[in-house]
Amino acid sequence: MSDLSRGVWEDAARQHERYLWGLCYRMTGVAADADELVQETFARALSSPPARHEELRPWLTRVAVNLSRDSLRRRRREGYVGTWLPSPVETGDEEVPPAAEARLPGGGSTEGRYELLESVSFAFLLALEALTPKQRAVLLLRDVFDSSVREVAQALGMSEVHVKVVHHRARAAMAAYDGERCLPTKDLQQRTLAALEGFMAALLERDVAAAEALLSGDVKALSDGRGEVRAALVPVVGARRVLTFLTKLMELRGSPRAVELQWLNGLPALVLILAPAKDPMLATRAVVSVELGADGRIARIHSVLADRKLANVRMPEPA
């Protein structure tokens, strides 16, 4: 390939960078993996591009999805130490618009659509873990990126009939999520913010009663250390157990050196800088977020602790 041709192809490929990154992130749930997968996709585009420019986007989509599926299979084959959580990404405080899925008379619906902001929420990304890599790719292309059956078939090298079958199975696997779907609207964002700030304040003030009042009885605390740092290997379940766990943790680590509120994955989250410890396996950074249950209280507490998972998060300066 000549230098001129290389430059033309590179410019053309870069026009799709944001789309590819979003696809790879939703496929893997890890921002650092998405960074690497997009660069590998571009490298392959330069070494052996498709014959015509009009074929570039489907070609890039196929390469990015195949690389992402390999990454997913590798993670599942090798196993994961402890609880897996998505890596946080900054989204700002923009609320999700009304869902595009239109309800029809009699309780049916049109072709389902997930909003882009909703599709990077922890709830959505965790629900995707129940899908096979192929189901995940088809669902994302059809229901998030609004690709037609023909476009998906072309991008993934599948027949249109096969796309429809896989899509149907993927939608069935997402039924539990769809039944409890909570869009990150402005109202949900503000209620989540109040619960998160109130709970953290109660913990810092050692006000157990105030903290417990904000938790659902069956609340779950999930921690992801990726085997890099210490974290609870299984979810801690129940308000009393969660409070005991978090209280002891704060006694061990002390108050954070810095705390900053950021809007990550569609909802508010706290980015923490923790005090240094003699044990190198103790985390020095963390992102803590919560999900509210139907009763308006905190039903899930997510703590992401691994450095690789926090690679795309802006860290506050310690005071």
Side-chain angles (χ1 to χ4, degrees):
M1 181 186 299
S2 68
D3 290 342
L4 178 59
S5 297
R6 179 179 293 274
V8 169
W9 276 111
E10 186 169 8
D11 289 344
R14 290 291 175 185
Q15 293 177 10
H16 303 286
E17 184 170 12
R18 183 176 180 180
Y19 157 73
L20 291 172
W21 193 92
L23 177 59
C24 291
Y25 174 67
R26 290 167 176 83
M27 278 293 298
T28 64
V30 181
D33 289 352
D35 292 340
E36 295 174 357
L37 293 170
V38 170
Q39 292 310 309
E40 176 62 21
T41 300
F42 285 155
R44 296 193 182 191
L46 291 177
S47 63
S48 55
R52 296 189 299 272
H53 275 281
E54 59 269 21
E55 297 176 351
L56 183 57
R57 185 180 176 101
W59 187 93
L60 290 170
T61 297
R62 180 185 297 193
V63 173
V65 166
N66 284 337
L67 291 172
S68 298
R69 288 166 62 183
D70 289 344
S71 179
L72 271 176
R73 292 190 190 101
R74 187 161 54 249
R75 166 158 64 85
R76 293 175 179 181
R77 183 174 62 249
E78 295 173 354
Y80 196 83
V81 179
T83 300
W84 183 91
L85 292 174
S87 67
V89 293
E90 187 172 358
T91 53
D93 60 352
E94 179 182 353
E95 68 174 323
V96 68
E101 185 176 11
R103 294 294 168 184
L104 300 175
S109 68
T110 62
E111 195 77 50
R113 292 286 194 277
Y114 298 110
E115 300 292 345
L116 287 172
L117 187 59
E118 177 190 5
S119 68
V120 295
S121 68
F122 268 40
F124 185 84
L125 293 171
L126 286 168
L128 289 180
E129 288 294 295
L131 277 58
T132 66
K134 182 182 291 186
Q135 289 172 346
R136 192 162 178 159
V138 170
L139 183 99
L140 289 173
L141 290 173
R142 289 286 289 124
D143 287 350
V144 174
F145 293 100
D146 201 24
S147 300
S148 68
V149 171
R150 177 174 295 182
E151 289 169 335
V152 175
Q154 180 184 9
L156 302 186
M158 300 164 58
S159 70
E160 293 185 23
V161 171
H162 192 194
V163 168
K164 292 177 180 179
V165 170
V166 173
H167 185 220
H168 176 74
R169 291 173 179 169
R171 291 286 284 171
M174 293 288 285
Y177 168 82
D178 291 336
E180 300 177 354
R181 191 172 168 188
C182 290
L183 300 178
T185 60
K186 185 64 70 177
D187 175 65
L188 179 61
Q189 290 173 344
Q190 293 304 315
R191 288 190 291 113
T192 302
L193 176 60
L196 177 61
E197 290 184 329
F199 185 67
M200 180 57 69
L203 285 179
L204 291 173
E205 295 167 6
R206 307 296 196 268
D207 189 340
V208 176
E212 186 173 5
L214 293 169
L215 299 178
S216 295
D218 58 352
V219 61
K220 291 183 180 180
L222 303 98
S223 307
D224 184 352
R226 196 174 169 264
E228 297 174 4
V229 294
R230 298 192 191 283
L233 297 179
V234 297
V236 181
V237 182
R240 289 297 178 89
R241 289 183 177 179
V242 167
L243 279 174
T244 298
F245 172 73
L246 294 178
T247 300
K248 289 184 177 179
L249 188 60
M250 292 196 70
E251 290 174 355
L252 173 67
R253 301 304 308 273
S255 298
R257 297 180 63 197
V259 180
E260 183 174 290
L261 175 71
Q262 294 185 24
W263 294 86
L264 306 174
N265 300 82
L267 292 172
L270 295 177
V271 182
L272 311 177
I273 299 295
L274 306 173
K278 293 181 180 180
D279 186 347
M281 286 293 289
L282 290 178
T284 58
R285 307 186 297 168
V287 167
V288 178
S289 59
V290 300
E291 291 180 15
L292 302 185
D295 60 0
R297 294 187 292 174
I298 296 172
R300 300 284 186 277
I301 302 173
H302 298 135
S303 300
V304 182
L305 308 169
D307 282 344
R308 181 172 175 81
K309 289 289 188 74
L310 301 177
N312 289 56
V313 176
R314 174 176 48 81
M315 290 293 153
E317 292 293 333

